[in-house]
Amino acid sequence: MRKTVKSYSMWGTMRHMLPFFPTKDAILVVMGSLIGAILEFCVAGSISMLGLAMAAPENLMRSPIAISILSVFSAQGDDMRIPMLAVMLGGVCLAIFCKNLFLGLLTWKSIYFSYEVAGCFAENIFQAFLRKPLIWHLQQNTSDLVTFMQWRPYVSGYCNYLLSLFTQGCIIIGLLVGSLYLAPGVSVVVFGGTALVGGLVYIFSRKRLEDASICARDIDTAINRLTFASLLGYKDIVLANKQENFVARMASLWPQQSRAQAFRAVYQPLPQWVLEFFGALLLLLALLILWHSAAKSGEVASTLMLLMGISWRILPATHKVLASVLGLRSVMPMMESMLPIANTLMTFNSELDAPKVGILQFDQQLEMNNLSFSYPDAADATLHTLCLTIPKGSMAGFVGVSGAGKSTLVNILSGLFIPTDGSFVVDGQPLDTEQARSAWMRHVGYVPQEPYMMDATIAENIAFSFWGGKIDRSRVERCCHMAAMDFIQDLPQGLDTQIGDKGSRLSGGQLQRIAIARALYSNPDIIIFDEATSSIDGGNEEVIRQTTLNLKGEVTLVVVAHRLSSLESCDMVYWLDNGHIRLSGTPQSVLPRYQAFLDSESTSRLCLGHSREASSCKE
């Protein structure tokens, strides 16, 4: 996976994320960060002044502002020291209270903003997934798409790190400007040394953190893929007695993930541990420089107090800057995996806007004119120059062995696939635009071999085409009657029966009849039965076949089947062979010849098997 993702710089990633930033909230957060930096400087300055008042009060006694404030206490001489300390400490308390109150509001807004961006990002990806054509989905790995949705916290984490980087950067700049103005010499030593140490720590940690994050990303993806494979292929895994193999594979991934996450957890706080030590060491160096310069003790104390007050805030800010940069590096591998998908999926692209559904009439017939279809990167076409006509109200059947192109043809008939060449025409109008195909889908009902069922009630599954809206109970009951769903009366809760995940509480035949009722609920002009009876027993097949016959004449029917009995009542049958129409005509003219073809193929395979067996015996 690492080889297939595009590499983005931190600023390149930010540029791609900017369209998701709410402009008003972004401005508020930026302005709040600047105000927070000013408040941090005020707090650092007030603490420095408190230290100076304790260490060298005589320096403050000469200040006109201090004298005017202390005059309210009617104290003189040494008696002024206690009131002065009280005033200074009160000022510190007030500054800290205001700063913390403001930063609390700013933190709330920043976190809200980060999750708002992450939600917008995930919503757009989810929206785009649902609007991408079926052919695109067939080329994707489902577990990877779900993994991207689960990685939404990494987007909010990216925004958090970015905002922290900006906020703490403003604080550092403000504190540096103040310290350089008041004590330029020793400030250069202390904060220049801090920057040097911080840079070395960053260089040491960056590559190691990136490698650990890439490993964590790849292991996370592998775990999701294995989980999906286990859930979707449960029966095959059990029948093949491969449970232990899957468990062993999963067990081998956990230690790798634990190791990668542990390294990520160590490298991110590493700057704080290093800077705490070197910060104190650099203050000691500053003291030695002041001592060597033969400065007065009061001057040394005031300067050192200033540096300590500023360092009290600048060292944690520096740590947070480095932690934010390393945090950005830690989520970059996940962002690099998501951004290529996001760049092709976002709704900012006009092709992803909700398709405008026009009006399409179906009063006469469907036509395929020299229609061909090829899958992306396929060497050969799946369908070749098909020409056929299906009049409205008729019943057309399609038959052919596996791989003949029946499923591809169904996807074109339903509007899910776009022909590579030729045209698919409804009443003379080609379905060559997204608007036309969306309009056509409103006319289509679809009954697949394995219908998708929600873990919901029977009524909710039947009204699936209007999911999220109010269910028309009378229409549901009418569709149930048309689909011969007589088993409803035997269920204690009737239409309000919960059918379980994937319809696990009902039989295959019952689910197929629910699928037919669902197709009827939207009042379609055409219903496509795609191998609808291939996975059920003969009794249920007869019920569904009878249901199909009852619909004949009321709607256009397209029946794709392996069982020839399902096609005996068709008006026209098409025999597909390797993407070509090998034969077409009435069921009486096509089905016997197709059956003879199947018999001859079966005989050939049987003879070939006997020949191989005899050859093996001779050996």
Side-chain angles (χ1 to χ4, degrees), residues 461-609:
N461 274 282
I462 291 174
F464 180 74
S465 56
F466 287 80
W467 187 73
K470 185 177 180 181
I471 297 175
D472 187 337
R473 300 281 296 195
S474 61
R475 187 193 295 188
V476 169
E477 292 171 357
R478 186 168 62 253
C479 293
C480 290
H481 176 73
M482 295 174 67
M485 291 176 56
D486 50 1
F487 64 88
I488 293 292
Q489 58 191 3
D490 298 327
L491 300 175
Q493 294 177 294
L495 289 172
D496 296 317
T497 300
Q498 293 281 339
I499 67 172
D501 185 32
K502 300 179 183 178
S504 57
R505 298 175 188 170
L506 300 179
S507 68
Q510 291 171 333
L511 293 177
Q512 286 300 117
R513 279 178 275 176
I514 291 177
I516 294 174
R518 173 191 289 177
L520 291 166
Y521 187 82
S522 58
N523 295 322
D525 291 314
I526 177 173
I527 298 180
I528 301 173
F529 291 85
D530 186 7
E531 305 282 6
T533 62
S534 63
S535 60
I536 58 178
D537 56 40
N540 282 313
E541 180 196 5
E542 180 57 29
V543 172
I544 293 176
R545 191 176 77 85
Q546 204 56 49
T547 301
T548 306
L549 291 178
N550 293 337
L551 296 173
K552 187 177 181 180
E554 296 187 22
V555 294
T556 304
L557 300 175
V558 173
V559 181
V560 179
H562 276 104
R563 296 178 179 177
L564 303 188
S565 57
S566 302
L567 304 172
E568 292 174 349
S569 302
C570 290
D571 299 309
M572 181 73 73
V573 175
Y574 297 89
W575 174 4
L576 284 178
D577 184 22
N578 290 323
H580 297 275
I581 296 179
R582 181 167 176 174
L583 185 65
S584 64
T586 63
Q588 294 75 22
S589 63
V590 175
L591 296 184
R593 296 180 63 178
Y594 180 68
Q595 184 62 60
F597 166 77
L598 294 179
D599 294 340
S600 65
E601 287 290 307
S602 179
T603 302
S604 298
R605 286 193 296 270
L606 183 62
C607 291
L608 181 60

Side-chain angles (χ1 to χ4, degrees), residues 218-332:
D218 293 343
I219 295 300
D220 199 19
T221 301
I223 289 173
N224 276 290
R225 287 184 176 182
L226 188 62
T227 302
F228 264 74
S230 303
L231 294 175
L232 298 177
Y234 170 76
K235 290 199 296 187
D236 300 277
I237 293 171
V238 172
L239 290 173
N241 196 26
K242 292 297 181 183
Q243 299 98 312
E244 294 304 318
N245 298 69
F246 276 76
V247 171
R249 173 59 179 155
M250 185 68 80
S252 70
L253 293 173
W254 294 127
Q256 299 178 55
Q257 186 188 52
S258 301
R259 192 178 304 110
Q261 295 292 5
F263 276 118
R264 292 181 70 199
V266 167
Y267 285 123
Q268 280 191 256
L270 185 62
Q272 178 183 3
W273 303 335
V274 174
L275 288 176
E276 282 180 352
F277 170 73
F278 277 96
L281 195 63
L282 289 169
L283 284 175
L284 176 60
L285 179 61
L287 175 61
L288 294 175
I289 292 173
L290 290 171
W291 185 19
H292 182 71
S293 64
K296 296 180 181 180
S297 59
E299 183 182 346
V300 171
S302 61
T303 303
L304 195 60
M305 285 294 177
L306 174 66
L307 291 177
M308 289 180 65
I310 293 177
S311 298
W312 177 68
R313 296 308 306 145
I314 206 169
L315 288 177
T318 304
H319 155 64
K320 290 178 181 178
V321 165
L322 289 175
S324 297
V325 174
L326 292 175
L328 288 172
R329 291 286 181 184
S330 73
V331 299
M332 281 298 295

Side-chain angles (χ1 to χ4, degrees), residues 62 71 74 86 98 110 158 163 172 188 212 246 287 295 312 372 401 490-491 500 505 507 517 533 548 567:
R62 294 190 292 268
S71 62
S74 301
C98 294
S110 298
Y158 174 85
L163 292 175
I172 290 174
V188 170
F246 276 76
L287 175 61
W312 177 68
S372 298
V401 298
D490 298 327
L491 300 175
R505 298 175 188 170
S507 68
T533 62
T548 306
L567 304 172

Side-chain angles (χ1 to χ4, degrees), residues 38-83:
I38 296 173
L39 292 176
E40 287 283 4
F41 180 75
C42 292
V43 169
S46 64
I47 292 175
S48 300
M49 294 297 290
L50 176 62
L52 181 60
M54 296 173 65
E58 63 278 0
N59 291 336
L60 287 178
M61 296 294 189
R62 294 190 292 268
S63 172
I65 298 177
I67 294 174
S68 61
I69 294 175
L70 294 174
S71 62
V72 299
F73 293 97
S74 301
Q76 296 180 356
D78 292 338
D79 293 336
M80 296 182 64
R81 298 186 63 178
I82 300 301

